[in-house]
Amino acid sequence: AISCARSITGEGAGFSQVLGLLRTVIALQQRYIPGINNWQTPKKEQLPYDINSWKASSFYFPTESRTRYPNADGSKHSAAYSCLTQDSYCHLVLSEYALTNPDEDIRLNGFLASSELHLVLVNGEDEAELQQKLLQLASLLPVNKGHDDLKLMANQQYQQYLTTSTKKYSIALLAESNEELTKEIQLAQQGVKNVFVNLSQAELGKTTSSTSTQWKTPKGSYFSAEPAATSAENSNNVCFMYPGIGATYVGLGRDLFQLFPEIYSDVANLADDIGSSLKDTLLNPRSISRVDFKALKQRDLDLRGNLADIAEAGVGFACVFSKIFTKVFKLNADFATGYSMGEVSMYAALGCWQQPGLMSARLANSATFNERLCGDLLTLREHWHLPLAKSNTEMTKAPIWETYTIKATLAQVEAVCIGETRVYCTIINTPDSVLLAGFPADCLRVIKKLGVRAMALNMANAIHSPPAKAEYDDMVALYTMAVNARINTKLYSSSCYLPVPQLSKAIAHSIAKCLCDRVDFPRLVKTLYNNGARVFIEMGPGRSLCSWVDKTLAHENKQSEHKQQHNHQEVTQVKDGSNKTSVSVPVNAKGVSDELTYFRAIAKLVSHGVKLDLNSLFYGSIVMTRKVLQASDR
């Protein structure tokens, strides 16, 4: 990678060169490759060789900063810094310093604690106390004008929160300046008032949606008058949800290790070559020119066509997202589940397998996921008696599988699929939204009969269909691995809609059955909810699962209200002491910075009463004292 310090420091003669050297040292120590601000493409007249020679070389210009993963051979990383002296160039070659024990080599940086974005917490037992504290907070703002003052205020509020964390309600405010915090407080004062009015209406027996007892702003400030988390000492009623493979995108997780350096060693130890497992070169394209929007979109589409690659990347990033919560925020799940191939991610991320890294080689060499259910789709061709791809005829070049998302119920789809042998409902996402897959022309015929719109997902893999059952035994062999000691999290599978025993064969058969059978996600959500899950955190890219959880539970609430009204029963609050409120929380959003997304997620979780360790948001620095350095050397 070739970067340029002056894209950050500007032209400042010797001062810029010193800053450039410091930037190189920090990047090497913090394990990231610095990007070049506003880079587009090199000018042809400035290149010593023709541009095609550059494209064919191993050199590239990073347009965004990205994580530098360990070398597969275990060697140390080096960085060369070049600067212009009075009449020549000076070159410095630096090598990283690493501790003997990699597990102790945690290179904290205080990134979140030094962020311009701040989390300001306010808690209280009732509306009156909350409003009083908001007024007190607002009264302090005119005195404090700088960023350091805002940081100090956020820290003071956090200290108060720690000493009064048992209070019933918490407001989480997000702001980057005093002016912005003033605006958020003003919005909170009115928003909290409205929320408690709606809560009073609900307590009087007047139906109200769960969103009317929540308040949020575009910035991400949040308050809920009905916290979803339980007050039990060792439980938050939290469920980790692992999305399927289709959510992976170019640029996924680019900043996560810089935001959360605590997890670097743990993730690196998951595989011999973690960069390869996380598909670094696929998700972070190497190029001498900035990749344009059209090219990025095509790369995203190409990712979906390689089931083995995105399956491996999905598993790897599931481990990353999970480690952030379990190691940094000290939050463990009471429940967990996976959507489609997300079930594989669940077992790997929660430490069920002793050596999840073994899956890399297995997936790379798997005929099932490289050519039978993906790629050439040999299993389908055999099942449907189609020419094999190697025959290279017009029939073999035409697509034989496509997946469409449509608005319809399972009953509606089954009614029009009578007699269709090459069309399958592979996944039910919500009560009125499903995935239809199979031979493209046959699928389009069914869609036309239904009279609905359809969107092709460009995913040519035939899992969750009857033909996939031919690969069942191979899947069992692929996912049979030695397991660790039993964990406390209850692992729910769409193979049986029950917790899966944490035994090697049970897990392998559960995954194989899940990938062969249709996924009924609403049934999975309702099962988890009925067994106590209330806080659903999506451990992966996007917020599709969160959206489907919300729609499924909203549909259930409407069904329940309809039954009560039909039976002439009064709609009242539940009196058995159980909490019926639920919340879904995404932790990654394409096009939104990871930093902002996590602050928003934390704001939501805190207001819903989830117990988290938030120290990394308030304390930390890249500067280490001599005492700390000496201790690390020992």
Side-chain angles (χ1 to χ4, degrees), residues 484-634:
N484 286 315
R486 186 179 183 277
I487 62 174
N488 292 326
T489 305
K490 296 177 182 178
L491 309 170
Y492 280 76
S493 169
S494 61
S495 66
C496 57
Y497 302 92
L498 292 167
V500 176
Q502 293 174 38
L503 304 171
S504 179
K505 284 296 182 182
I507 289 174
H509 280 279
S510 175
I511 294 173
K513 191 172 187 301
C514 162
L515 297 181
C516 291
D517 292 350
R518 175 192 298 143
V519 173
D520 188 342
F521 191 64
R523 180 182 174 186
L524 197 56
V525 170
K526 287 183 284 186
T527 300
L528 286 159
Y529 182 86
N530 290 336
N531 283 280
R534 292 294 180 269
V535 181
F536 297 86
I537 305 177
E538 187 164 354
M539 290 291 169
R543 58 156 293 117
S544 294
L545 299 190
C546 288
S547 175
W548 298 334
V549 165
D550 293 342
K551 289 178 180 178
T552 296
L553 295 180
H555 179 268
E556 282 299 295
N557 288 337
K558 286 183 180 179
Q559 292 284 90
S560 177
E561 290 173 8
H562 177 73
K563 286 180 181 179
Q564 288 177 317
Q565 292 170 355
H566 181 72
N567 295 328
H568 305 290
Q569 297 175 359
E570 184 180 359
V571 181
T572 59
Q573 291 292 96
V574 178
K575 300 297 184 181
D576 61 2
S578 61
N579 183 7
K580 297 300 180 183
T581 304
S582 64
V583 62
S584 63
V585 183
V587 297
N588 180 272
K590 187 177 181 180
V592 181
S593 74
D594 288 322
E595 179 185 7
L596 178 57
T597 304
Y598 268 93
F599 267 99
R600 286 173 172 172
I602 295 304
K604 204 171 188 180
L605 290 169
V606 168
S607 189
H608 274 282
V610 178
K611 304 176 187 69
L612 300 168
D613 183 336
L614 302 178
N615 285 340
S616 62
L617 273 61
F618 297 94
Y619 311 117
S621 171
I622 195 172
V623 179
M624 291 186 290
T625 64
R626 179 177 296 181
K627 184 177 180 181
V628 172
L629 288 171
Q630 290 173 344
S632 64
D633 285 338
R634 290 197 297 270

Side-chain angles (χ1 to χ4, degrees), residues 32 39 113 122 147 168 178 180 236 277 337 397 410 485 564 581:
Y32 74 92
W39 177 258
V122 176
H147 173 263
K168 187 174 181 180
N178 285 341
E180 196 167 51
N236 283 293
S277 295
T337 193
K397 292 179 182 178
L410 176 62
Q564 288 177 317
T581 304

Side-chain angles (χ1 to χ4, degrees), residues 298-497:
Q298 185 58 49
R299 286 175 182 264
D300 277 336
L301 290 175
D302 292 342
L303 273 177
R304 296 186 177 191
N306 193 320
L307 188 58
D309 278 346
I310 55 176
E312 188 176 358
V315 170
F317 274 102
C319 296
V320 173
F321 287 113
S322 299
K323 282 293 180 185
I324 290 170
F325 275 91
T326 59
K327 184 157 188 173
V328 180
F329 298 125
K330 306 296 189 296
L331 177 66
N332 292 305
D334 303 290
F335 308 90
T337 193
Y339 171 91
S340 184
M341 291 197 77
E343 182 165 326
V344 181
S345 302
M346 172 181 71
Y347 294 117
L350 295 177
C352 295
W353 286 314
Q354 291 180 10
Q355 295 179 287
L358 294 176
M359 203 181 305
S360 296
R362 293 188 182 188
L363 284 170
N365 298 314
S366 168
T368 296
F369 291 114
N370 284 292
E371 57 184 29
R372 299 202 60 79
L373 295 180
C374 192
D376 293 334
L377 295 168
L378 299 181
T379 298
L380 276 184
R381 293 182 182 278
E382 294 167 5
H383 188 78
W384 291 342
H385 307 292
L386 297 175
L388 296 180
K390 293 180 181 179
S391 60
N392 199 29
T393 65
E394 287 299 319
M395 289 186 66
T396 62
K397 292 179 182 178
I400 66 168
W401 183 274
E402 183 54 273
T403 302
Y404 303 88
T405 178
I406 62 172
K407 293 284 288 184
T409 65
L410 176 62
Q412 291 171 332
V413 171
E414 289 180 334
V416 298
C417 279
I418 296 174
E420 297 285 354
T421 59
R422 299 190 297 184
V423 180
Y424 316 103
C425 179
T426 55
I427 298 179
I428 306 171
N429 288 329
T430 69
D432 63 351
S433 176
V434 302
L435 295 189
L436 194 72
F439 195 78
D442 297 7
C443 288
L444 293 174
R445 181 171 59 246
V446 168
I447 291 167
K448 185 176 181 180
K449 288 181 183 178
L450 285 167
V452 297
R453 292 182 179 180
M455 182 175 71
L457 299 182
N458 299 303
M459 293 179 63
N461 59 75
I463 56 177
H464 305 303
S465 68
K469 293 179 180 178
E471 307 302 319
Y472 184 93
D473 291 341
D474 287 336
M475 291 184 194
V476 171
L478 175 67
Y479 293 112
T480 298
M481 292 186 284
V483 296
N484 286 315
R486 186 179 183 277
I487 62 174
N488 292 326
T489 305
K490 296 177 182 178
L491 309 170
Y492 280 76
S493 169
S494 61
S495 66
C496 57
Y497 302 92

Side-chain angles (χ1 to χ4, degrees), residues 4 36-43 61-63 287-290:
C4 177
I36 306 175
N37 269 13
N38 302 316
W39 177 258
Q40 295 300 325
T41 189
K43 296 179 180 179
F61 297 94
T63 53
S287 174
I288 67 168
S289 302
R290 179 178 290 274

